[in-house]
Amino acid sequence: MKCGYKYCKFGGEVSKEEGVKYKNRWHHKECAEERKNKEKIRKIYLEKIDKYANKAQLNKAIKQIIHDKKQNSSFVLFALNYAIENNIKLNNPFGLHWIIKDKNIIKTYKEKILKKQEYEIINKILNQDEKGYETSFKYKPSKKNRNWNKILPE
């Protein structure tokens, strides 16, 4: 089957086993995630920054950042949320180009990714017992020490 994402990075062919169905079309898992992130970016920008923004300009800015500059869509989404939380003013959709270059945003995103990876590694280590790796201890008393009289004081 053909991937339903216009900007597929995997050659366009997807099987049902590895694919994800999103809006009545099959996508690669990464393509579906990128498409969802782009929709979230649009929605957040229009709801929280400028509801009267030119949608064509917004779509063009998102396309330029994600596909032409090859930025990760989850990073762009993070940067937009960071800008909203920290009251960074965006005058137009092309201001997204500016916020993805901000050193504080990049540093915070890298810290977030490192914490997430650390959390996953710790969970992987802690959940090993659940996956069948068991540590068991067995005690076999020697034949010499089977008599309680040797242990108890007289």
Side-chain angles (χ1 to χ4, degrees):
M1 262 185 266
K2 187 173 186 220
C3 182
Y5 188 52
K6 182 178 178 182
Y7 302 102
C8 180
K9 299 172 185 170
F10 302 103
E13 292 298 318
V14 62
S15 64
K16 282 190 176 183
E17 293 83 29
E18 65 181 41
V20 177
K21 194 169 186 178
Y22 178 68
K23 291 193 175 183
N24 297 325
R25 298 188 75 185
W26 288 93
H27 298 74
H28 293 98
K29 183 180 176 185
E30 294 83 4
C31 293
E33 181 182 344
E34 189 170 292
R35 189 170 174 186
K36 288 175 187 176
N37 284 342
K38 285 172 68 174
E39 289 174 3
K40 287 179 187 176
I41 292 166
R42 273 187 217 101
K43 182 180 177 187
I44 290 171
Y45 189 91
L46 291 171
E47 286 179 359
K48 299 198 176 184
I49 295 178
D50 184 10
K51 62 183 174 182
Y52 300 110
N54 186 335
K55 292 177 184 159
Q57 284 183 346
L58 178 60
N59 290 336
K60 184 174 182 179
I62 293 169
K63 179 194 165 289
Q64 286 176 348
I65 292 169
I66 294 175
H67 301 293
D68 298 342
K69 291 187 176 182
K70 304 208 184 307
Q71 281 290 342
N72 189 345
S73 62
S74 61
F75 170 68
V76 179
L77 182 62
F78 174 82
L80 181 61
N81 286 325
Y82 184 91
I84 291 168
E85 290 171 7
N86 293 299
N87 298 324
I88 298 172
K89 188 174 181 182
L90 296 173
N91 294 326
N92 62 42
F94 291 100
L96 291 172
H97 287 279
W98 178 79
I99 64 168
I100 63 167
K101 294 178 185 175
D102 189 299
K103 291 179 182 177
N104 290 332
I105 294 173
I106 294 169
K107 181 182 172 191
T108 308
Y109 182 72
K110 286 181 180 178
E111 289 172 359
K112 176 189 166 201
I113 294 297
L114 288 174
K115 284 180 183 178
K116 183 179 177 184
Q117 289 174 346
E118 180 182 339
Y119 180 75
E120 289 173 357
I121 290 170
I122 290 171
N123 277 342
K124 196 181 272 187
I125 291 170
L126 294 176
N127 292 332
Q128 280 183 351
D129 290 338
E130 295 174 7
K131 293 181 180 177
Y133 301 111
E134 291 185 21
T135 306
S136 60
F137 298 98
K138 295 181 180 178
Y139 173 71
K140 291 183 180 181
S142 65
K143 293 181 180 178
K144 296 177 184 177
N145 294 334
R146 287 193 180 190
N147 190 351
W148 283 98
N149 293 331
K150 291 182 181 177
I151 298 173
L152 298 173
E154 295 178 10

